[in-house]
Amino acid sequence: MGRSVQAIKIIIIWSFMLLSLQAWGATVGLLVDSQSEQIVAFKDQLQRLRSVDQIQLITTPQLSEINKEDIQKWITLGPKALNALLPALNQSKSPVLALFLPDAMRVQLSGKYQKSFSTLDNSPTLSRQLALIQAIAPQAKQVGVFYSSQYRVDQKAINSVANQYDLKLQWAELKDPLDWDRQALKVLSDVDLVLGVSDDALYNTTTIRSILMRLYRSGIALVGPDKGYVRAGAVASVYSGIPEVLKASSAWLAGELADSPIIPNPYFDVSVNGQVARSLNIVVDDEASLTKQVKEVTRAQ
Protein backbone atom coordinates (compact mmCIF):
# COMPACT_ATOMS: atom_id res chain seq x y z
CA MET A 1 0.00 0.00 0.00
CA GLY A 2 2.85 2.35 0.91
CA ARG A 3 4.60 1.72 -2.37
CA SER A 4 1.39 2.40 -4.33
CA VAL A 5 0.93 5.75 -2.57
CA GLN A 6 4.56 6.63 -3.24
CA ALA A 7 4.15 5.74 -6.93
CA ILE A 8 1.07 7.90 -7.21
CA LYS A 9 2.95 10.82 -5.64
CA ILE A 10 5.78 10.42 -8.16
CA ILE A 11 3.32 10.34 -11.05
CA ILE A 12 1.60 13.48 -9.78
CA ILE A 13 4.92 15.30 -9.39
CA TRP A 14 6.02 14.37 -12.91
CA SER A 15 2.64 15.40 -14.28
CA PHE A 16 2.97 18.84 -12.70
CA MET A 17 6.50 19.17 -14.05
CA LEU A 18 5.39 18.27 -17.58
CA LEU A 19 2.47 20.69 -17.38
CA SER A 20 4.82 23.43 -16.20
CA LEU A 21 7.13 22.81 -19.15
CA GLN A 22 4.21 22.90 -21.57
CA ALA A 23 2.78 26.02 -19.98
CA TRP A 24 6.08 27.85 -20.43
CA GLY A 25 6.25 28.48 -24.14
CA ALA A 26 9.19 29.20 -26.39
CA THR A 27 12.29 31.29 -25.97
CA VAL A 28 11.84 34.04 -28.55
CA GLY A 29 14.62 36.18 -29.95
CA LEU A 30 13.45 39.70 -30.77
CA LEU A 31 16.26 40.89 -33.01
CA VAL A 32 16.78 44.61 -33.66
CA ASP A 33 19.55 46.67 -35.22
CA SER A 34 19.87 48.82 -32.09
CA GLN A 35 17.89 49.51 -28.93
CA SER A 36 15.66 52.48 -28.25
CA GLU A 37 12.92 53.36 -25.79
CA GLN A 38 10.30 52.52 -28.41
CA ILE A 39 11.81 49.10 -29.08
CA VAL A 40 12.06 48.28 -25.37
CA ALA A 41 8.39 49.29 -25.01
CA PHE A 42 7.51 47.05 -27.98
CA LYS A 43 9.32 44.12 -26.36
CA ASP A 44 7.61 44.72 -22.99
CA GLN A 45 4.16 44.87 -24.57
CA LEU A 46 4.79 41.69 -26.56
CA GLN A 47 5.96 39.97 -23.37
CA ARG A 48 2.72 40.96 -21.64
CA LEU A 49 0.71 39.52 -24.51
CA ARG A 50 2.77 36.30 -24.51
CA SER A 51 3.47 35.75 -20.82
CA VAL A 52 4.03 32.03 -21.48
CA ASP A 53 7.00 32.82 -23.72
CA GLN A 54 10.37 34.26 -22.80
CA ILE A 55 11.06 37.26 -25.04
CA GLN A 56 14.75 38.16 -25.32
CA LEU A 57 15.70 41.50 -26.85
CA ILE A 58 18.86 41.03 -28.92
CA THR A 59 20.77 43.55 -31.03
CA THR A 60 22.60 42.54 -34.19
CA PRO A 61 26.08 43.11 -32.63
CA GLN A 62 25.11 40.60 -29.92
CA LEU A 63 24.04 37.97 -32.45
CA SER A 64 27.46 36.33 -32.71
CA GLU A 65 27.78 36.07 -28.92
CA ILE A 66 24.63 34.06 -28.16
CA ASN A 67 23.84 30.38 -28.57
CA LYS A 68 21.24 30.45 -31.32
CA GLU A 69 20.14 26.91 -30.52
CA ASP A 70 18.64 28.28 -27.31
CA ILE A 71 16.19 30.38 -29.36
CA GLN A 72 13.14 28.49 -30.64
CA LYS A 73 11.51 31.35 -32.55
CA TRP A 74 12.72 34.65 -34.01
CA ILE A 75 11.07 37.98 -34.67
CA THR A 76 13.03 40.67 -36.51
CA LEU A 77 12.31 44.40 -36.64
CA GLY A 78 13.38 45.96 -39.92
CA PRO A 79 15.46 44.76 -42.88
CA LYS A 80 18.90 45.17 -41.24
CA ALA A 81 18.04 42.77 -38.43
CA LEU A 82 16.67 40.18 -40.86
CA ASN A 83 19.70 40.53 -43.14
CA ALA A 84 21.95 39.78 -40.15
CA LEU A 85 19.88 36.85 -38.89
CA LEU A 86 19.29 34.78 -42.03
CA PRO A 87 22.93 33.84 -42.73
CA ALA A 88 23.51 33.22 -39.02
CA LEU A 89 20.76 30.61 -38.84
CA ASN A 90 22.00 28.59 -41.83
CA GLN A 91 20.01 25.32 -41.81
CA SER A 92 18.19 26.03 -38.55
CA LYS A 93 14.51 25.13 -38.56
CA SER A 94 13.62 27.91 -36.12
CA PRO A 95 10.75 29.93 -37.65
CA VAL A 96 11.33 33.62 -38.37
CA LEU A 97 8.74 36.40 -38.54
CA ALA A 98 9.91 39.62 -40.18
CA LEU A 99 8.22 42.86 -39.12
CA PHE A 100 8.38 46.24 -40.88
CA LEU A 101 10.01 44.74 -43.97
CA PRO A 102 9.48 46.62 -47.27
CA ASP A 103 8.33 44.38 -50.08
CA ALA A 104 11.41 45.10 -52.21
CA MET A 105 13.65 43.95 -49.35
CA ARG A 106 11.51 40.86 -48.82
CA VAL A 107 12.07 39.85 -52.44
CA GLN A 108 15.79 40.64 -52.26
CA LEU A 109 16.47 38.73 -49.02
CA SER A 110 14.33 35.71 -49.92
CA GLY A 111 16.39 35.37 -53.11
CA LYS A 112 19.71 35.94 -51.35
CA TYR A 113 19.43 33.37 -48.53
CA GLN A 114 18.18 29.79 -48.34
CA LYS A 115 16.70 30.25 -44.87
CA SER A 116 12.96 30.79 -45.22
CA PHE A 117 11.02 33.41 -43.26
CA SER A 118 7.55 34.86 -42.99
CA THR A 119 6.75 38.53 -43.45
CA LEU A 120 3.87 40.26 -41.69
CA ASP A 121 2.11 42.38 -44.31
CA ASN A 122 0.46 45.44 -42.75
CA SER A 123 -0.80 46.96 -46.00
CA PRO A 124 -4.61 47.21 -46.15
CA THR A 125 -6.19 44.43 -48.18
CA LEU A 126 -8.33 45.31 -51.17
CA SER A 127 -11.39 43.69 -49.58
CA ARG A 128 -11.09 45.83 -46.45
CA GLN A 129 -10.71 49.07 -48.38
CA LEU A 130 -13.68 48.23 -50.61
CA ALA A 131 -15.74 47.32 -47.55
CA LEU A 132 -14.79 50.71 -46.07
CA ILE A 133 -15.94 52.48 -49.24
CA GLN A 134 -19.22 50.61 -49.02
CA ALA A 135 -19.59 51.65 -45.37
CA ILE A 136 -18.91 55.38 -45.82
CA ALA A 137 -20.62 55.74 -49.20
CA PRO A 138 -23.26 53.01 -49.64
CA GLN A 139 -24.64 54.82 -52.69
CA ALA A 140 -21.30 54.65 -54.53
CA LYS A 141 -21.12 52.42 -57.60
CA GLN A 142 -18.14 53.71 -59.61
CA VAL A 143 -14.68 53.79 -58.02
CA GLY A 144 -11.62 55.24 -59.73
CA VAL A 145 -8.19 53.62 -59.49
CA PHE A 146 -5.19 55.65 -60.61
CA TYR A 147 -1.80 54.01 -60.94
CA SER A 148 1.71 54.56 -62.31
CA SER A 149 3.46 52.73 -65.13
CA GLN A 150 5.37 50.74 -62.48
CA TYR A 151 2.22 49.32 -60.87
CA ARG A 152 1.78 45.66 -61.79
CA VAL A 153 -1.44 43.94 -60.71
CA ASP A 154 -4.04 41.59 -62.13
CA GLN A 155 -6.80 44.07 -62.86
CA LYS A 156 -9.23 41.30 -63.79
CA ALA A 157 -8.80 39.64 -60.39
CA ILE A 158 -9.20 42.96 -58.57
CA ASN A 159 -12.31 43.81 -60.58
CA SER A 160 -13.74 40.44 -59.54
CA VAL A 161 -13.24 41.31 -55.87
CA ALA A 162 -14.90 44.69 -56.41
CA ASN A 163 -17.92 42.98 -57.95
CA GLN A 164 -18.52 41.23 -54.63
CA TYR A 165 -19.12 44.66 -53.13
CA ASP A 166 -21.31 45.79 -56.03
CA LEU A 167 -18.63 48.25 -57.08
CA LYS A 168 -17.18 48.83 -60.54
CA LEU A 169 -13.58 49.95 -60.83
CA GLN A 170 -12.47 52.38 -63.51
CA TRP A 171 -8.72 52.33 -64.14
CA ALA A 172 -6.45 55.05 -65.50
CA GLU A 173 -2.68 55.39 -65.61
CA LEU A 174 -1.69 58.73 -64.11
CA LYS A 175 1.48 59.69 -65.95
CA ASP A 176 1.91 63.10 -64.35
CA PRO A 177 0.07 64.10 -61.14
CA LEU A 178 0.67 67.76 -62.07
CA ASP A 179 -0.78 67.41 -65.58
CA TRP A 180 -3.67 64.93 -65.83
CA ASP A 181 -4.32 63.65 -69.34
CA ARG A 182 -7.73 63.26 -70.96
CA GLN A 183 -8.28 59.64 -69.91
CA ALA A 184 -7.43 60.33 -66.27
CA LEU A 185 -9.76 63.35 -66.21
CA LYS A 186 -12.55 61.30 -67.81
CA VAL A 187 -12.28 58.62 -65.13
CA LEU A 188 -12.26 61.29 -62.44
CA SER A 189 -15.47 62.81 -63.83
CA ASP A 190 -17.24 59.44 -63.91
CA VAL A 191 -16.52 58.06 -60.43
CA ASP A 192 -17.99 58.52 -56.96
CA LEU A 193 -14.75 57.99 -55.04
CA VAL A 194 -11.11 57.12 -55.69
CA LEU A 195 -9.36 54.12 -54.18
CA GLY A 196 -5.71 54.76 -53.36
CA VAL A 197 -3.59 51.67 -54.01
CA SER A 198 -0.17 50.61 -52.72
CA ASP A 199 1.76 52.19 -55.58
CA ASP A 200 4.75 54.05 -54.14
CA ALA A 201 5.66 55.48 -57.53
CA LEU A 202 2.36 57.38 -57.57
CA TYR A 203 1.30 57.76 -53.94
CA ASN A 204 4.21 59.31 -52.09
CA THR A 205 5.08 62.46 -50.16
CA THR A 206 6.08 64.28 -53.36
CA THR A 207 2.86 63.68 -55.31
CA ILE A 208 0.09 63.27 -52.75
CA ARG A 209 -0.61 66.98 -52.32
CA SER A 210 -1.16 67.47 -56.07
CA ILE A 211 -3.41 64.41 -56.28
CA LEU A 212 -5.49 65.46 -53.30
CA MET A 213 -5.91 69.03 -54.57
CA ARG A 214 -7.17 67.74 -57.93
CA LEU A 215 -9.63 65.37 -56.21
CA TYR A 216 -10.77 68.03 -53.77
CA ARG A 217 -11.53 70.51 -56.56
CA SER A 218 -13.61 67.78 -58.22
CA GLY A 219 -15.47 67.00 -55.01
CA ILE A 220 -14.12 63.45 -54.97
CA ALA A 221 -12.86 61.68 -51.85
CA LEU A 222 -9.79 59.47 -51.67
CA VAL A 223 -9.95 56.28 -49.61
CA GLY A 224 -6.53 54.88 -48.65
CA PRO A 225 -3.94 53.85 -49.33
CA ASP A 226 -2.97 54.03 -45.63
CA LYS A 227 -3.32 56.02 -42.43
CA GLY A 228 -0.59 58.49 -43.35
CA TYR A 229 -2.64 59.66 -46.31
CA VAL A 230 -5.66 60.27 -44.10
CA ARG A 231 -3.61 62.84 -42.20
CA ALA A 232 -2.64 64.36 -45.57
CA GLY A 233 -6.25 64.64 -46.77
CA ALA A 234 -7.71 61.26 -47.70
CA VAL A 235 -11.16 60.81 -46.16
CA ALA A 236 -10.50 57.40 -44.61
CA SER A 237 -8.37 54.26 -44.74
CA VAL A 238 -7.94 50.87 -43.18
CA TYR A 239 -4.56 50.47 -41.47
CA SER A 240 -2.60 48.22 -39.13
CA GLY A 241 -0.54 50.12 -36.56
CA ILE A 242 1.78 49.09 -33.72
CA PRO A 243 -1.02 47.64 -31.51
CA GLU A 244 -2.17 45.48 -34.43
CA VAL A 245 1.41 44.39 -35.18
CA LEU A 246 1.79 43.32 -31.54
CA LYS A 247 -1.45 41.33 -31.67
CA ALA A 248 -0.41 39.62 -34.89
CA SER A 249 3.05 38.82 -33.50
CA SER A 250 1.45 37.30 -30.41
CA ALA A 251 -0.90 35.25 -32.58
CA TRP A 252 2.03 34.02 -34.67
CA LEU A 253 3.92 32.94 -31.56
CA ALA A 254 0.81 31.08 -30.42
CA GLY A 255 0.63 29.25 -33.74
CA GLU A 256 -2.65 30.92 -34.68
CA LEU A 257 -1.45 32.33 -38.02
CA ALA A 258 -0.59 30.30 -41.09
CA ASP A 259 3.19 30.00 -41.45
CA SER A 260 3.40 31.28 -45.03
CA PRO A 261 5.92 33.58 -46.79
CA ILE A 262 3.52 36.53 -46.56
CA ILE A 263 1.06 36.78 -43.66
CA PRO A 264 -1.62 39.48 -44.05
CA ASN A 265 -2.14 41.15 -40.69
CA PRO A 266 -5.57 39.96 -39.51
CA TYR A 267 -5.87 42.91 -37.12
CA PHE A 268 -6.73 46.40 -38.34
CA ASP A 269 -8.46 49.67 -37.55
CA VAL A 270 -10.03 52.49 -39.53
CA SER A 271 -8.79 56.08 -39.58
CA VAL A 272 -11.08 58.94 -40.63
CA ASN A 273 -10.39 62.59 -41.46
CA GLY A 274 -13.59 64.16 -40.19
CA GLN A 275 -12.73 67.63 -41.52
CA VAL A 276 -12.29 66.33 -45.07
CA ALA A 277 -15.48 64.26 -44.79
CA ARG A 278 -17.48 67.32 -43.75
CA SER A 279 -16.01 69.49 -46.51
CA LEU A 280 -17.04 66.86 -49.08
CA ASN A 281 -20.50 66.43 -47.48
CA ILE A 282 -19.79 62.82 -46.52
CA VAL A 283 -21.51 61.66 -43.36
CA VAL A 284 -19.31 59.08 -41.65
CA ASP A 285 -19.72 57.00 -38.53
CA ASP A 286 -17.10 57.07 -35.81
CA GLU A 287 -13.94 55.06 -36.39
CA ALA A 288 -14.89 52.24 -34.01
CA SER A 289 -18.23 51.72 -35.76
CA LEU A 290 -16.61 51.75 -39.19
CA THR A 291 -13.98 49.25 -38.07
CA LYS A 292 -16.74 46.96 -36.80
CA GLN A 293 -18.66 47.26 -40.09
CA VAL A 294 -15.59 46.46 -42.18
CA LYS A 295 -14.78 43.44 -40.03
CA GLU A 296 -18.32 42.12 -40.28
CA VAL A 297 -18.49 42.56 -44.06
CA THR A 298 -15.07 41.08 -44.83
CA ARG A 299 -15.72 38.16 -42.46
CA ALA A 300 -18.88 37.36 -44.41
CA GLN A 301 -17.18 37.47 -47.82
Side-chain angles (χ1 to χ4, degrees):
M1 182 69 178
R3 290 183 179 179
S4 298
V5 172
Q6 187 67 21
I8 291 172
K9 287 182 178 179
I10 292 173
I11 291 171
I12 292 173
I13 291 171
W14 274 103
S15 297
F16 275 115
M17 290 176 65
L18 288 172
L19 287 172
S20 297
L21 288 171
Q22 291 172 359
W24 186 259
T27 299
V28 179
L30 180 62
L31 185 65
V32 300
D33 190 44
S34 60
Q35 284 196 34
S36 67
E37 290 184 8
Q38 293 82 358
I39 286 175
V40 172
F42 184 95
K43 179 261 182 185
D44 291 343
Q45 290 177 65
L46 182 58
Q47 183 67 80
R48 282 193 288 271
L49 289 172
R50 288 295 299 169
S51 58
V52 297
D53 292 328
Q54 184 180 10
I55 313 294
Q56 295 185 3
L57 184 59
I58 305 167
T59 63
T60 51
Q62 297 171 328
L63 193 57
S64 61
E65 304 170 3
I66 66 169
N67 185 356
K68 298 165 195 64
E69 294 182 359
D70 293 339
I71 309 294
Q72 285 84 53
K73 297 179 181 180
W74 291 90
I75 295 178
T76 62
L77 270 62
K80 290 183 179 179
L82 182 64
N83 191 37
L85 178 64
L86 293 178
L89 290 185
N90 294 323
Q91 301 302 316
S92 170
K93 294 183 179 179
S94 300
V96 177
L97 178 66
L99 305 181
F100 311 117
L101 183 69
D103 193 58
M105 289 300 299
R106 177 189 64 80
V107 173
Q108 179 182 330
L109 293 178
S110 61
K112 184 178 180 180
Y113 300 112
Q114 291 185 347
K115 173 62 182 175
S116 61
F117 61 91
S118 297
T119 300
L120 183 67
D121 183 6
N122 292 309
S123 59
T125 66
L126 175 66
S127 291
R128 293 171 188 170
Q129 296 285 50
L130 292 173
L132 177 58
I133 288 176
Q134 193 177 66
I136 65 176
Q139 78 287 351
K141 297 298 180 185
Q142 305 288 330
V143 176
V145 182
F146 298 102
Y147 59 95
S148 72
S149 59
Q150 300 177 35
Y151 189 59
R152 297 285 184 271
V153 295
D154 185 344
Q155 292 189 15
K156 185 176 180 181
I158 293 179
N159 289 339
S160 178
V161 176
N163 289 337
Q164 299 175 29
Y165 294 90
D166 197 25
L167 294 170
K168 182 178 180 181
L169 301 184
Q170 294 196 34
W171 299 76
E173 180 181 342
L174 190 54
K175 300 174 182 177
D176 183 358
L178 296 176
D179 185 17
W180 291 41
D181 61 23
R182 183 177 300 177
Q183 177 59 24
L185 290 172
K186 182 180 184 307
V187 167
L188 184 59
S189 67
D190 291 341
V191 299
D192 301 302
L193 293 98
V194 169
L195 170 65
V197 293
S198 298
D199 180 1
D200 293 338
L202 179 59
Y203 289 100
N204 55 60
T205 55
T206 303
T207 62
I208 188 60
R209 180 175 175 80
S210 299
I211 293 172
L212 285 168
M213 288 301 296
R214 173 72 70 171
L215 298 183
Y216 190 80
R217 287 197 296 267
S218 302
I220 301 295
L222 174 70
V223 172
D226 209 336
K227 185 180 182 179
Y229 294 91
V230 177
R231 291 192 293 267
V235 70
S237 184
V238 174
Y239 73 96
S240 295
I242 297 297
E244 291 73 35
V245 170
L246 283 163
K247 289 179 184 178
S249 300
S250 175
W252 180 80
L253 290 173
E256 297 171 359
L257 301 183
D259 198 14
S260 57
I262 301 177
I263 303 175
N265 194 330
Y267 304 100
F268 63 89
D269 258 310
V270 169
S271 178
V272 173
N273 189 320
Q275 183 177 351
V276 171
R278 288 189 294 271
S279 66
L280 293 174
N281 296 317
I282 299 174
V283 179
V284 296
D285 294 332
D286 61 88
E287 294 174 342
S289 297
L290 285 172
T291 301
K292 183 179 179 181
Q293 290 177 59
V294 172
K295 289 180 178 178
E296 290 174 348
V297 171
T298 52
R299 193 180 298 121
Q301 290 292 336

